Amino acid sequence: MVTGFQGRGFRVRDDVFPDGLLLSPVRALAWIDAPTVDALTPESLGDLFDLDPRPEFLLLGTGANLRQPPRPFVRAVEALGIGVEAMDSRAAARAWGVLRAEERQIVAALLPL
């Protein structure tokens, strides 16, 4: 669970992720070299989708403001059977906590604020 924000980054328990954050139900991982929203590809998310069971959807935090991800990115993720929900990164971090409390099988990619 994201427990706060620090600068442009995210706090998860005692760890700070200043450059972006990849979340799954089993881990929080620094998103090293996170691309801009316009440069997103499924490959830029590493192994985030390699879960069993497969995630229902990707919660995409697009930074300080909501930006729509590129249609090719959305189509590629949807081709894997995973939906994409985009919102600003603060909103996505809050939504993560609510949805995980409901035990939803989701993943998140949060770009820096």
Side-chain angles (χ1 to χ4, degrees):
M1 176 175 273
V2 177
T3 55
F5 306 100
Q6 185 167 331
R8 296 185 59 222
F10 309 91
R11 181 178 294 280
V12 177
R13 296 190 185 121
D14 294 330
D15 296 319
V16 175
F17 299 87
D19 300 318
L21 177 62
L22 298 172
L23 290 168
S24 78
V26 295
R27 69 180 179 183
L29 184 65
W31 195 359
I32 307 297
D33 297 324
T36 64
V37 172
D38 295 331
L40 281 169
T41 65
E43 294 77 24
S44 65
L45 303 177
D47 64 355
L48 192 61
F49 300 138
D50 296 342
L51 297 172
D52 187 23
R54 186 165 286 221
E56 297 172 49
F57 64 89
L58 165 68
L59 195 57
L60 177 63
T62 60
N65 299 301
L66 169 61
R67 296 200 43 216
Q68 291 302 317
R71 291 300 309 154
F73 170 77
V74 173
R75 281 194 294 273
V77 174
E78 288 175 344
L80 299 172
I82 301 169
V84 177
E85 295 291 333
M87 57 189 72
D88 71 75
S89 289
R90 286 181 189 271
R94 290 188 296 271
W96 171 264
V98 172
L99 293 167
R100 285 301 301 146
E102 296 174 357
E103 298 184 8
R104 301 285 300 270
Q105 187 67 17
I106 61 171
V107 292
L110 308 178
L111 291 167
L113 299 170

